[in-house]
């Protein structure tokens, strides 16, 4: 393909991908399948890799990330990002109103009310219609340039097409993580044995500062824009500026309202106090602003905050109740979670009976004692949490909680790894919750997708001694399952149990579903195996890098660290897992069942065989391509990616900040060291 042909094709593909993105994210409908969309996107990515100079400034491929940012440039804000004064009191809000009246000399004015979203403030600069820079609030005077990460947020426009755009202007908004996404991430963290994240706000802030923009893209952040700044803008009040933002294509929350009096402001606050809980994101108050820009100038600002705006914060609904007991849950990976068993109390629309206490450190910090009267809040209005103790009501004979030393389910002595807050039960093989949890993890939709097996059926199979680990599922037969009876929990019977029998159709469905799982892709099998810290994304990276379970099992610690996104913690976990003789036997049994234990390359289409027989190591940070892109280019042109430098290596492709050990080894073995541009020359680019 010539450069002219590539330019035309890139423009055409970009237009198609943008169109389908708009249908999916803007109109909640589709015209093509996910598979067809992925093919379009991949074709565009491949073309941009071959012709990097033709990549459009607003290319939709920026939404998927892939760029590694080692450090974030500090940028000074053209307009300071001041913080707002906060109040929890309607009396103080009335005082604010009185100061506004006095400051404006009793002239007419109106307020503009918006919900205060619980996320991270962001400043976006557009030049000639294109997103030029995205900067965090920082200290209000200067922040971090996170443009690459911000471009992965699909509701932030990369290019604007309206006809009345200023040449340069700034938009400000709040980046947030929808509750649904936050819950999904926490579910995956539980899957891999990590502590749950505290709240969406902190998670959003941390995500925006991640080095790998592809991870940022996977977090599905969102953004509401709420103000526009610039020189000589064609509007003189906030309401008109919001209208303009909406017409330009920015994502503006429709929850705002103009208010002509402080009484209308109070009505808005009252209306949203409970209604906001129905929104898909966290909110913690209302921002009240003077609408007219000239009146804002007249009121001015202090060194820290404007005098023309204030934030009214809703009080977190709290309740006091008795701590009756502390129980302990055992997760799939053996992680122990203490739970506060509470005297039922009504809180934020629901009756709360239990609240997570996270770990032993949290119990010690709160100095909890059974029998205490404790204060309970709903974190983010969703998850109950114990926030403190009413010491005046503490029973005189109470004693500090002594954290359990043995597993509550199998009595194995608990361990606590250095640097971790969580205690673990090490009895992986026979601790009942771990056995059940490992099986539930294996059969879930994101792993082996064995649909016909439910939790109660799994419990029944375990109780009958038919299943102890996932490999046992593939030994089940129709004859074994048909008519099988087992006990299930029931509130209707006095003994708390009833008997269930698997009928012929159910038994056949289970066998069919297990058989169907043998076609599941290797990366999903790897995720389903349940290695600690190996979540879905990590499993995909490992599968892509090592391509088979055999290569992964034999990889050295150094080779594991060479894989994308694999740090010391994951590498150690992988080594410990594969060093276990029982785990190796388990893998061998899975292999024998016919599961996919290697990447299926039957559908791969090579671009050329120009690199056939040549081996490459990629190291460092590059200008035109990410490391993953370079590796893909090597694969598609017949070459082979390896993890470490040896005498047999043909090329070390060296970028900036490359590790000195690789360079030293390459020089020692006489390996040819080439730059990114020299690699492109090899491919004839």
């Amino acid at each position: 393909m010539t450069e002219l042909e590539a330019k035309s094709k890139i423009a055409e593909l970009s237009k198609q991908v943008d169109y389908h993105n708009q249908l999916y994210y803007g109109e909640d409908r589709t015209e093509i399948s996910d598979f067809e969309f992925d093919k379009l996107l991949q074709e565009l990515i491949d073309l941009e890799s071959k012709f990097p100079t033709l990549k459009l400034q607003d290319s939709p491929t920026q939404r998927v990330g892939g760029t590694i940012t080692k450090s974030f440039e500090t940028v000074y804000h053209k307009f300071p990002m001041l913080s707002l004064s906060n109040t929890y009191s309607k009396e103080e809000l009335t005082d604010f109103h009185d100061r506004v009246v006095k400051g404006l000399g009793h002239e007419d004015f109106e307020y503009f009310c918006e919900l205060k979203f619980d996320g991270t403030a962001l400043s976006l600069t557009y030049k000639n219609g294109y997103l030029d820079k995205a900067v965090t609030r920082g200290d209000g005077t200067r922040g971090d340039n996170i443009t690459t990460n911000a471009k992965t947020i699909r509701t932030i426009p990369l290019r604007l097409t309206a006809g009345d755009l200023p040449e340069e202007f700034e938009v400000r908004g709040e980046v947030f993580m929808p509750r649904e996404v936050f819950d999904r991430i926490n579910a995956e963290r539980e899957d891999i044995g990590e502590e749950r994240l505290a709240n969406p706000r902190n998670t959003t802030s941390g995500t925006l500062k991640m080095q790998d923009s592809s991870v940022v893209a996977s977090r599905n952040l969102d953004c509401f824009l709420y103000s526009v700044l610039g020189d000589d803008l064609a509007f003189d009040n906030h309401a008109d500026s919001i209208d303009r933002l909406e017409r330009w294509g920015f994502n503006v929350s429709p929850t705002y309202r103009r208010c002509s009096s402080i009484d209308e402001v109070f009505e808005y606050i009252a209306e949203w106090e409970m209604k906001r809980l129905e929104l898909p994101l966290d909110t913690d108050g209302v921002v009240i602003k003077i609408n007219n820009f000239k009146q804002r100038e007249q009121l001015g600002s202090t060194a820290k905050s404007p005098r023309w705006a204030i934030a009214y914060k809703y009080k977190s609904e709290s309740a006091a109740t008795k701590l009756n007991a502390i129980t302990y849950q055992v997760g799939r990976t053996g992680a122990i979670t203490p739970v506060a068993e509470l005297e039922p109390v009504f809180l934020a629309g629901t009756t709360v009976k239990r609240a997570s206490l996270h770990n032993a450190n949290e119990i010690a910090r709160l100095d909890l004692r059974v029998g205490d009267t404790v204060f309970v809040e709903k974190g983010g209005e969703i998850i109950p949490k114990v926030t403190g103790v009413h010491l005046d009501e503490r029973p005189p004979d109470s004693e500090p909680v002594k954290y359990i030393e043995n597993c509550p389910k199998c009595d194995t002595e608990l361990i606590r790894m250095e640097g971790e807050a969580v205690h673990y039960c090490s009895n992986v093989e026979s601790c009942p919750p771990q056995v059940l949890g490992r099986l539930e993890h294996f059969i879930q939709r994101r792993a082996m997708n064995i649909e016909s097996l439910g939790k109660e059926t799994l419990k029944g199979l375990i109780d009958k001694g038919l299943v102890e680990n996932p490999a046992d599922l593939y030994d089940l037969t129709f004859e074994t399952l048909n008519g099988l009876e087992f006990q299930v929990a029931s509130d209707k019977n006095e003994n708390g149990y009833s008997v269930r029998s698997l009928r012929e159709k159910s038994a056949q469905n289970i066998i069919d579903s297990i058989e169907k799982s043998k076609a599941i892709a290797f990366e999903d099998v790897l995720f389903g195996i349940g290695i600690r810290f190996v979540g879905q994304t990590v499993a995909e990276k490992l599968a892509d890098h090592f391509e088979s379970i055999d290569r992964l099992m034999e990889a050295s610690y150094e080779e594991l660290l060479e894989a994308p996104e694999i740090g010391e913690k994951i590498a150690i976990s992988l080594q410990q897992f594969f060093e276990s003789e029982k785990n190796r036997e388990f893998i061998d049994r899975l292999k024998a069942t016919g599961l996919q234990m290697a990447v299926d390359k039957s559908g791969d289409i090579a671009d050329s065989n120009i690199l056939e027989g040549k081996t490459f190591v990629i190291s460092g940070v590059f200008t035109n391509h990410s490391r993953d892109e370079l590796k893909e280019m090597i694969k598609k042109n017949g070459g082979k990616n390896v993890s470490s430098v040896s005498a047999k290596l043909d090329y070390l492709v060296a970028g900036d900040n490359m590790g000195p050990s690789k360079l030293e080894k390459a020089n020692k073995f006489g390996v040819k060291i080439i730059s990114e541009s020299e690699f492109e020359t090899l491919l004839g680019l």
Side-chain angles (χ1 to χ4, degrees):
M1 182 180 289
T2 67
E3 187 165 313
L4 188 62
E5 290 171 332
K7 184 176 182 179
S8 175
K9 188 64 175 176
I10 284 174
E12 177 193 339
L13 287 169
S14 297
K15 186 176 180 181
Q16 288 183 57
V17 172
D18 276 335
Y19 172 73
H20 291 295
N21 266 331
Q22 173 57 29
L23 285 184
Y24 185 81
Y25 292 99
E27 302 178 27
D28 196 25
R29 64 187 181 92
T30 59
E31 292 181 355
I32 60 175
S33 67
D34 289 348
F35 176 73
E36 290 170 314
F37 177 82
D38 289 341
K39 281 178 65 179
L40 282 176
L41 185 60
Q42 189 58 53
E43 187 178 356
L44 179 57
I45 291 171
D46 293 343
L47 269 179
E48 289 179 345
S49 296
K50 290 181 184 177
F51 301 92
T53 58
L54 299 181
K55 187 174 182 177
L56 299 175
Q57 191 174 345
D58 62 330
S59 171
T61 60
Q62 295 176 86
R63 299 296 196 191
V64 300
T67 303
I68 305 296
T69 305
K70 292 296 183 182
S71 60
F72 296 96
E73 170 199 10
T74 298
V75 176
Y76 282 85
H77 296 296
K78 183 176 181 180
F79 306 98
M81 295 185 75
L82 300 176
S83 58
L84 295 177
S85 298
N86 291 327
T87 179
Y88 292 87
S89 159
K90 291 184 178 180
E91 290 74 23
E92 289 182 2
L93 191 52
T94 300
D95 291 341
F96 164 77
H97 172 72
D98 292 341
R99 291 194 298 272
V100 170
V101 170
K102 183 178 179 180
L104 295 179
H106 298 277
E107 65 181 75
D108 290 339
F109 65 91
E110 62 180 357
Y111 291 113
F112 195 96
C113 293
E114 303 164 331
L115 289 182
K116 187 175 184 297
F117 302 113
D118 204 11
T120 299
L122 191 65
S123 165
L124 306 170
T125 300
Y126 284 82
K127 292 182 179 179
N128 299 314
Y130 288 91
L131 175 61
D132 179 65
K133 200 169 290 181
V135 183
T136 61
R137 180 183 178 276
D139 62 5
T141 301
R142 59 187 178 182
D144 294 317
N145 185 342
I146 58 162
T147 308
T148 301
N149 287 346
K151 285 181 175 180
T152 68
I153 302 173
R154 295 182 181 275
T155 48
I156 292 178
L158 302 180
R159 179 171 62 97
L160 304 168
T161 57
D164 57 346
L165 293 169
E167 184 176 335
E168 180 177 341
F169 64 99
E170 183 180 338
V171 180
R172 288 179 179 173
E174 195 83 0
V175 179
F176 62 89
M177 178 172 285
R179 288 199 197 104
E180 182 182 357
V181 176
F182 178 73
D183 291 342
R184 174 177 58 77
I185 292 172
N186 263 342
E188 174 152 329
R189 289 178 72 85
E190 285 185 328
D191 269 344
I192 62 177
E194 291 192 335
E195 274 201 271
R196 291 171 63 92
L197 298 167
N199 56 64
R201 181 187 63 251
N202 292 353
T203 306
T204 298
S205 179
T207 298
L208 286 174
K209 295 295 294 292
M210 285 181 166
Q211 293 182 343
D212 188 343
S213 60
S214 65
V215 180
V216 181
S218 72
R219 290 284 179 93
N220 294 322
L221 297 177
D222 207 336
C223 184
F224 280 140
L225 287 307
Y226 53 69
S227 73
V228 56
L229 301 95
D231 300 321
D232 302 320
L233 295 176
F235 31 82
D236 59 11
N237 66 78
H238 188 66
D240 287 347
S241 73
I242 291 297
D243 177 69
R244 198 66 56 93
L245 283 178
E246 290 175 325
R247 287 200 290 108
W248 287 344
F250 287 101
N251 189 34
V252 177
S253 171
T255 53
Y256 57 79
R257 183 181 302 166
R258 292 168 74 163
C259 298
S260 59
S261 68
I262 191 65
D263 288 335
E264 289 187 13
V265 171
F266 287 138
E267 289 172 9
Y268 178 88
I269 290 171
E271 177 186 339
W272 282 101
E273 184 165 11
M274 296 305 295
K275 203 162 90 172
R276 66 195 175 95
L277 304 180
E278 301 169 11
L279 297 173
L281 73 156
D282 288 344
T283 60
D284 59 1
V286 171
V287 177
I288 301 106
K289 306 173 180 177
I290 295 298
N291 188 34
N292 186 277
F293 291 161
K294 285 186 178 179
Q295 290 178 331
R296 290 184 181 184
E297 290 179 15
Q298 190 175 337
L299 291 168
S301 302
T302 67
K304 293 184 178 180
S305 59
R307 293 190 178 94
W308 47 264
I310 193 170
Y312 176 86
K313 303 288 284 290
Y314 291 112
K315 292 178 182 177
S316 294
E317 189 171 341
S318 178
T321 189
K322 184 181 177 182
L323 175 63
N324 291 326
I326 295 177
T327 57
Y328 298 85
Q329 295 178 341
V330 185
R332 175 184 66 82
T333 60
I336 307 297
T337 302
V339 177
E341 302 292 343
L342 306 168
E343 195 71 27
V345 61
F346 193 75
L347 180 62
T350 60
T351 299
V352 174
K353 299 178 182 178
R354 313 177 84 214
S356 172
L357 293 171
H358 301 294
N359 52 55
N361 290 352
E362 182 67 3
I363 292 174
R365 184 185 72 80
L366 292 167
D367 186 25
L368 282 182
R369 304 183 184 192
V370 173
D372 275 344
T373 296
V374 296
F375 299 109
V376 184
E377 291 183 5
K378 280 197 172 181
E381 312 299 339
I382 297 297
I383 304 168
K385 61 181 179 181
V386 176
T387 58
V389 177
H390 195 329
L391 294 176
D392 292 342
E393 296 190 12
R394 169 167 281 173
D397 59 346
S398 67
E399 295 182 1
V401 171
K402 185 179 179 183
Y403 204 84
I404 59 171
E405 296 179 352
N406 296 79
C407 175
K409 299 298 183 181
C410 70
D411 205 37
T412 301
E413 185 176 353
L414 300 181
I415 60 173
R416 191 176 187 178
M417 299 177 188
E418 187 177 349
E420 293 192 17
V422 178
H423 287 73
Y424 288 88
C425 169
S426 60
N427 182 15
V428 177
E429 299 299 323
S430 56
C431 180
Q434 293 190 63
V435 172
L436 178 61
R438 194 161 60 251
L439 286 162
E440 286 184 298
H441 174 80
F442 185 80
I443 69 171
Q444 67 170 291
R445 181 180 56 81
R446 293 181 297 154
M448 303 308 294
N449 197 24
I450 302 177
E451 299 172 331
S452 300
L453 274 173
K455 185 173 184 176
E456 294 295 342
T457 305
L458 280 177
K459 282 182 177 179
L461 294 173
I462 294 169
D463 291 342
K464 291 290 184 180
L466 295 172
V467 173
E468 287 186 353
N469 72 55
D472 294 332
L473 294 172
Y474 296 89
D475 293 335
L476 295 174
T477 64
F478 172 77
E479 289 72 22
T480 303
L481 295 178
N482 188 25
L484 183 72
E485 293 184 344
F486 51 89
Q487 289 184 328
V488 297
S490 173
D491 295 331
K492 297 179 180 179
N493 290 3
E494 291 182 8
N495 62 5
Y497 292 96
S498 61
V499 176
R500 179 179 295 175
S501 175
L502 281 179
R503 303 193 178 201
E504 183 177 341
K505 185 176 180 181
S506 296
Q508 190 60 54
N509 285 342
I510 291 172
I511 295 300
D512 290 345
S513 194
I514 290 172
E515 186 64 28
K516 187 178 176 182
S517 74
K518 294 178 182 179
I520 294 291
F522 170 48
E523 59 264 29
D524 296 325
V525 177
L526 183 56
F527 171 59
I529 287 171
I531 304 169
R532 193 174 179 219
F533 304 133
V534 178
Q536 200 169 21
T537 301
V538 170
E540 290 171 1
K541 297 288 185 182
L542 288 169
D544 184 61
H545 187 79
F546 290 102
E547 299 184 348
S548 73
I549 194 72
D550 292 327
R551 285 191 59 201
L552 178 60
M553 289 172 69
E554 301 307 321
S556 67
Y557 175 73
E558 291 75 17
E559 288 172 333
L560 289 169
L561 290 177
E562 283 295 315
E565 295 182 37
I566 305 303
E568 294 181 2
K569 183 170 68 173
I570 298 174
I572 291 171
S573 178
L574 285 163
Q575 282 207 306
Q576 289 176 342
F577 183 87
F578 290 123
E579 282 171 359
S580 163
E581 189 60 37
K582 286 186 177 179
N583 288 337
R584 283 183 169 264
E585 290 174 3
F586 168 56
I587 297 299
D588 286 341
R589 287 187 63 197
L590 290 181
K591 282 184 187 177
T593 67
L595 294 188
Q596 302 298 310
M597 289 299 193
V599 174
D600 182 4
K601 297 183 178 181
S602 59
D604 288 357
I605 301 174
D607 292 332
S608 77
N609 61 355
I610 196 169
L611 303 180
E612 190 171 357
K614 303 296 183 185
T615 55
F616 295 80
V617 164
I618 308 292
S619 184
V621 181
F622 301 89
T623 303
N624 297 329
H625 309 281
S626 69
R627 286 192 293 181
D628 284 350
E629 287 173 344
L630 290 171
K631 289 177 180 178
E632 189 65 22
M633 292 163 73
I634 289 167
K635 284 168 57 179
K636 292 207 167 196
N637 287 278
K640 183 179 179 182
N641 293 291
V642 296
S643 304
S644 57
V645 176
S646 69
K648 296 180 180 179
L649 183 68
D650 292 302
Y651 295 100
L652 171 63
V653 185
D656 295 334
N657 302 320
M658 183 181 68
S661 62
K662 282 193 174 63
L663 187 61
E664 186 179 331
K665 282 185 180 179
N667 286 324
K668 175 183 175 182
F669 295 130
V671 173
K672 189 166 185 179
I673 302 169
I674 60 174
S675 65
E676 183 180 21
S677 60
E678 288 172 320
F679 172 74
E680 290 173 341
T681 301
L682 274 180
L683 294 178
L685 301 179

